[in-house]
Amino acid sequence: MNTPTPGEPEQAGNQDDVLAVMPRLAQLSNAISRGRLVHHAMEAAGATVDRPAFSVLLALHFAGKPLRVKEIAEQVQVVQPHATRQVQQLERRGLVHRIGDPDDGRVSLIEPTAEGAQAADRYARTLVGWFTGAVAHWPEQDRKDLGRLLTRFTDDVTTRLAALDDTAPS
């Protein structure tokens, strides 16, 4: 029988079910992040920056609004100086630019240029096309279930990780 960790509520589900999925999650993560797929999508995007800088561009594009460097760092889960370097690389390539923060004149906001937004969109469309093809032979209900459950899983994991970060000693 599984016993809850001190301070953790007892879970209704069986921890063995989750444990059985962990190797598959690791396999999927490795296939996506280290595999040819990301490289192929970056080629399709026509971006001549490295992966970390492109991650910043994607975060900006999908945020749908200009962000401060601190917010970018939080989005891509890096320290602020690293995000600053990536923003500078993107600026040199003409993929992002700075605008004044209307709420604080001392701060700049970063947003994609038209070229940067187009590159991020080409990248996303390449991935969407690839993933759509990977599950095209699935029954419609399975595809809907995957989307629903993956969204729920991501939201719950993200919420739980945020709570963990909130309780971490500084």
Side-chain angles (χ1 to χ4, degrees), residues 3 6 24 30 33-34 48 60 63 66-67 71 97 115 117 132 154 161:
T3 54
R24 303 303 282 191
N30 286 334
S33 65
R34 294 192 179 105
T48 57
L60 284 164
L67 299 175
E71 294 169 312
H97 65 111
E115 182 182 350
T132 299
T154 302
L161 286 172

Side-chain angles (χ1 to χ4, degrees), residues 128-150:
V128 167
W130 191 89
F131 282 111
T132 299
V135 297
H137 64 284
W138 289 19
E140 182 180 355
Q141 189 59 51
D142 286 355
R143 291 191 308 266
K144 288 179 179 180
D145 288 345
L146 174 66
R148 178 181 55 80
L149 292 171
L150 188 56

